[in-house]
Amino acid sequence: MSEPKVKLTLLERARIVAIEAQGVKRAAAGIEHQPDIDRRIARIKDRARKRANGSK
């Protein structure tokens, strides 16, 4: 199931880029399974979705 598009703020985008950069560094070191990176990105997107829907 595809998740609906939510408009991210510039700060949220920058945070996601920083998290992904950390994941790339780990991948270069040979660590392929990184569920914590996925959870952190999902958490940012969930906050943006809640913000867009007007709930806290």
Side-chain angles (χ1 to χ4, degrees):
M1 192 164 109
S2 177
E3 61 184 55
K5 292 284 184 179
V6 175
K7 191 161 185 153
L8 298 173
T9 64
L10 186 60
L11 179 62
E12 290 167 337
R13 289 181 190 179
R15 292 175 78 191
I16 289 174
V17 168
I19 292 168
E20 288 179 346
Q22 184 180 23
V24 169
K25 288 169 73 174
R26 286 188 192 174
I31 302 171
E32 294 297 324
H33 185 63
Q34 303 178 27
D36 60 319
I37 299 291
D38 296 332
R39 280 193 305 265
R40 290 170 63 192
I41 292 172
R43 196 174 331 143
I44 291 171
K45 289 183 179 182
D46 287 340
R47 284 187 206 143
R49 193 174 303 113
K50 287 180 183 178
R51 179 181 39 78
N53 291 333
S55 61
K56 287 194 175 193

